[in-house]
Amino acid sequence: MSLKARAFTPLSPGQLRPEGWLLGQLRLQAAGLTGHLDEFWPDVRDSGWIGGQAEGWERGPYWLDGMIPLAFLLDDPRLKAKAARWIDYILTHQQADGWLGPVQSDRYQAYDPWPVFVALKAMSQYADATGEPRIAPAMERFLRCLDGKLEARPLFEWGKSRWADLLLSVHWLYERTSQAWLLGFGEKLRAQGYDWRAHFADFRFREKMRPEHCQQSTHVVNNGMALKQPALWWRQSGDEGDRQAALHMLHMLDTYHGQVTGIFSGDEHYAGLNPSQGTELCAVVEAMYSLEVLLSLTGNPRLADRLERLAFNALPAACKPDMWAHQYDQQANQVQCVVSPDPIWTNNGPDANIFGLEPHYGCCTANMHQGWPKFAAHLWMASPDGGLAALSYAPCQVQHGALQVRVKTEYPFGEVVELEVRGQDLSTLHLRIPAWATGAIVEVAGQRVPARPGSFHQVRADWRDPTPVRLELPMGIEVSRRYQRSAAVTRGPLVYALRVGEEWRKLKGEEPHADWEVLPTTPWNYGLQLDPEEPEGAIQVEGGQVGECPFSPEGAPVRLRARGRRVPQWQLERHAAGPLPLSPVASTEPLEDLVLIPYGCTNLRVAEFPLLAD
């Protein structure tokens, strides 16, 4: 038995170097919580994983899982030293029976394997980056230890729901050692783990959950992680239904819990289609990682469209622009962020959508860090023909063997992607053309050809002479109809939302990692006046420069000008935007000019608007 081959192979750390706005975003992250959390937050600073007395369960590994790829993308000596300290401690303190990390932490059961799943992901990334020879043997010892323990006590709770995250490491080790027992161990995980393909084949959770009905299978983060499970198992099963299952899973989530940003609601469990419901930040970064894995396994460009919708909208919107604070829950219609004594959430707490160090619960404080670095690391992958595949576009340099690509672009804010390509022989670039890019053009050495949206456009050439490649990806304005027949505006991969004036009020804590409420200083309850079938006639695009902090209200590089009227009956309810009135709505309020900016640039916003009757 062997593993089915991936469609594309992720690059090793060091093969891709960020530039331009992407480099700036990663540097912001390194200068914010990610680069300093271990210096002051007890659950990482004093983690049980490095011999401290604080939490020794998932939080230290979560932080490490995002900090390690950031350290090597930036080639940052300070961050790499932090990673080395953690990895060395974990390896030198492996238990005599092979267990990695604390045997028990706080209220959690002894020998709970779930947090080790996360640690193994971090360790494999470190091994790929450094060649650290101790990691593979340590992983093997742990997996053999766990193999025995699962005979007496099968997977339970989080480990049962998230078993695919261990299967990743089992496959990683198998590809380096060819030990057949590892595939048998994978079969054991499949037998004991939750069957997510069956969950979505008979999907029964079609409304906002009642708190008393919440369970592991309705947990929003478990669902984000689960998206990759069937396709990962396909590498062993060979069942094409497993390989394609994620498309149906996403369809079910979109239909009953989908949000315009490409994520699904969950605060903390399935919460329906209402854009005032929240989505946990952990779900955003885990769904992104699942999509990155799925792209490697399936090569389906539709999944890259979804990944970009999350990365350029939901991810940055959940963080303070300087990345020193985050939200637990974000809302598509987020008109204030306050401590609410009667929150709208399914079962999250009063402070779940303020910006802070540890709002509601500390898992997102630890887990948010993987979002940008793993997205950057998966922009390009190796193709089976020895070439390179572009899954998404951002400024960077890529090296794969003799093939070198430099990407110059302001995408996703701009429509043009310029590549400088050089190599030593004939090879192929597989360039993703987004499904929305009607009229896309690929130009190679001055020769222009149309490219089919929703596909990979292949360019095969002898690159010994440096060759320019130019992609033109026209971003038309589109309006989708959503909850209560509301209207959401997109342009390319970006969702656009009403810019709402904001006042930040410090609640507590020490700056820069303090807790903040954000209150509106301008009206938000507008309906849009436009024809959803021909929105270009009612919306004007204004472009600008991509600056040092593009994902901020002040730094938004693109704006849309639209018109609308206040809808007086649409008011706050339970400290959130009240239920959307059914569109079309009538309003006699004056017609006003409105400014829409990219969703990822907003802290307060309306992204799903009532549509005016006139």
Side-chain angles (χ1 to χ4, degrees):
M1 181 184 293
S2 61
L3 295 176
K4 292 289 184 181
R6 299 182 183 94
F8 302 123
T9 302
L11 300 178
S12 298
Q15 288 187 262
L16 185 146
R17 292 295 181 203
E19 296 186 339
W21 72 258
L22 180 61
L23 177 60
Q25 190 66 33
L26 294 171
R27 284 176 172 169
L28 268 177
Q29 180 171 343
L33 283 176
T34 305
H36 297 282
L37 196 64
D38 62 317
E39 298 165 13
F40 66 88
W41 194 48
D43 282 347
V44 174
R45 183 192 63 198
D46 306 321
S47 171
W49 279 85
I50 51 172
Q53 298 302 308
E55 199 252 25
W57 198 55
E58 67 180 9
R59 294 184 180 183
Y62 265 156
W63 172 75
L64 202 61
D65 187 40
M67 193 274 289
I68 285 176
L70 181 65
F72 288 96
L73 279 165
L74 293 177
D75 195 21
D76 185 315
R78 183 178 69 91
L79 297 184
K80 289 195 288 186
K82 289 172 183 273
R85 170 177 171 255
W86 273 69
I87 294 295
D88 187 68
Y89 190 97
I90 292 169
L91 292 173
T92 56
H93 289 78
Q94 188 165 18
Q95 306 291 335
D97 62 359
W99 194 263
L100 283 166
V103 168
Q104 186 168 15
S105 175
D106 303 330
R107 65 185 184 277
Y108 303 105
Q109 295 187 46
Y111 291 104
D112 183 351
W114 154 242
V116 194
F117 297 3
V118 186
L120 295 182
K121 289 193 299 178
M123 292 166 67
S124 63
Q125 291 177 89
Y126 191 83
D128 288 340
T130 66
E132 168 58 66
R134 297 174 294 171
I135 285 178
M139 289 175 66
E140 180 183 348
R141 287 187 64 210
F142 168 76
L143 293 175
R144 288 191 181 277
C145 171
L146 181 60
D147 191 19
K149 292 187 181 300
L150 292 182
E151 292 293 330
R153 183 176 64 172
L155 291 171
F156 59 93
E157 293 179 350
W158 304 105
K160 181 175 181 177
S161 296
R162 301 173 176 183
W163 64 275
D165 281 61
L166 180 58
L167 191 64
L168 276 167
S169 296
V170 172
H171 289 174
W172 181 91
L173 189 60
Y174 177 81
E175 289 175 325
R176 285 152 183 81
T177 66
S178 301
Q179 297 180 49
W181 76 271
L182 288 166
L183 299 186
F185 181 60
E187 292 174 354
K188 179 180 290 186
L189 297 179
R190 171 67 181 85
Q192 295 185 6
Y194 187 73
D195 188 344
W196 287 100
R197 184 178 171 188
H199 174 87
F200 284 98
D202 182 22
F203 190 66
R204 302 180 179 185
F205 305 100
R206 302 187 174 194
E207 296 177 345
K208 178 180 177 178
M209 297 298 297
R210 296 169 62 99
E212 62 270 22
H213 295 156
C214 293
Q215 54 192 271
Q216 284 273 335
S217 64
T218 63
H219 188 271
V220 65
V221 184
N222 288 349
N223 278 255
M225 294 177 174
L227 292 171
K228 60 185 177 289
Q229 179 261 296
L232 268 173
W233 180 242
W234 159 80
R235 298 198 74 192
Q236 290 191 228
S237 74
D239 181 349
E240 187 64 16
D242 286 333
R243 188 168 183 254
Q244 301 298 333
L247 297 176
H248 177 70
M249 296 165 75
L250 287 166
H251 175 67
M252 289 291 99
L253 289 167
D254 285 344
T255 300
Y256 299 107
H257 306 285
Q259 300 293 295
V260 68
T261 54
I263 195 61
F264 35 91
S265 68
D267 49 20
E268 174 135 336
H269 292 255
Y270 295 145
L273 296 169
N274 182 351
S276 290
Q277 295 296 151
T279 297
E280 184 183 338
L281 176 53
C282 281
V284 174
V285 297
E286 292 295 353
M288 286 178 59
Y289 181 58
S290 286
L291 290 165
E292 291 151 9
V293 172
L294 285 164
L295 280 165
S296 170
L297 296 173
T298 71
N300 188 330
R302 290 170 57 186
L303 298 171
D305 291 350
R306 172 76 65 145
L307 174 61
E308 287 190 340
R309 185 67 73 93
L310 290 171
F312 298 141
N313 297 282
L315 175 63
C319 298
K320 194 166 175 274
D322 64 7
M323 298 202 73
W324 273 105
H326 74 283
Q327 296 176 286
Y328 194 86
D329 288 329
Q330 66 172 285
Q331 301 157 290
N333 284 359
Q334 182 169 286
V335 300
Q336 62 178 16
C337 302
V338 298
V339 177
S340 171
D342 180 28
I344 192 174
W345 323 124
T346 303
N347 60 346
N348 284 164
D351 64 342
N353 84 327
I354 67 166
F355 287 84
L357 171 63
E358 193 179 349
H360 179 64
Y361 191 67
C363 57
C364 295
T365 310
N367 194 23
M368 60 180 276
H369 314 281
Q370 65 173 308
W372 281 117
K374 290 185 181 179
F375 174 71
H378 290 89
L379 290 171
W380 291 75
M381 298 188 195
S383 55
D385 55 13
L388 281 167
L391 285 304
S392 184
Y393 300 102
C396 64
Q397 290 193 59
V398 188
Q399 177 92 38
H400 180 54
L403 189 59
Q404 301 174 46
V405 181
R406 187 175 189 183
V407 184
K408 297 181 178 180
T409 185
E410 293 189 343
Y411 188 93
F413 307 107
E415 299 173 310
V416 174
V417 180
E418 295 180 330
L419 311 178
E420 295 177 357
V421 190
R422 65 181 66 205
Q424 294 180 356
D425 51 21
L426 196 67
S427 55
T428 303
L429 296 182
H430 304 258
L431 305 176
R432 172 182 147 262
I433 309 299
W436 45 259
T438 302
I441 297 291
V442 175
E443 179 180 324
V444 183
Q447 298 296 311
R448 294 168 60 85
V449 296
R452 181 167 58 88
S455 71
F456 282 96
H457 184 91
Q458 295 187 10
V459 179
R460 185 165 178 80
D462 187 328
W463 306 102
R464 280 176 288 189
D465 293 326
T467 305
V469 178
R470 176 185 170 95
L471 283 73
E472 297 174 9
L473 304 173
M475 296 181 179
I477 295 171
E478 298 182 5
V479 173
S480 59
R481 306 303 296 273
R482 302 193 57 81
Y483 182 70
Q484 292 286 74
R485 300 290 296 158
S486 62
V489 179
T490 58
R491 179 176 176 266
L494 299 181
V495 177
Y496 282 78
L498 179 71
R499 179 176 178 177
V500 179
E502 56 194 48
E503 176 190 356
W504 289 70
R505 293 184 183 176
K506 181 178 172 181
L507 288 176
K508 61 179 181 179
E510 178 183 344
E511 296 186 39
H513 47 81
D515 288 2
W516 305 84
E517 290 187 324
V518 189
L519 297 168
T521 61
T522 57
W524 55 266
N525 54 343
Y526 286 97
L528 286 182
Q529 179 172 282
L530 54 78
D531 180 351
E533 302 301 321
E534 298 182 358
E536 292 88 350
I539 296 177
Q540 291 76 48
V541 180
E542 295 180 354
Q545 297 297 313
V546 178
E548 293 183 358
C549 189
F551 291 104
S552 65
E554 299 77 17
V558 186
R559 298 181 178 206
L560 304 185
R561 298 280 181 180
R563 306 199 82 191
R565 303 178 192 271
R566 298 277 300 276
V567 180
Q569 66 268 33
W570 189 25
Q571 295 291 328
L572 290 174
E573 187 173 303
R574 298 176 69 183
H575 298 271
L580 270 164
L582 181 65
S583 293
V585 298
S587 174
T588 59
E589 297 295 307
L591 197 61
E592 298 182 45
D593 294 327
L594 305 178
V595 175
L596 280 59
I597 62 174
Y599 182 106
C601 303
T602 64
N603 302 305
L604 300 180
R605 61 187 160 263
V606 171
E608 297 191 19
F609 295 85
L611 201 58
L612 294 174
D614 58 355

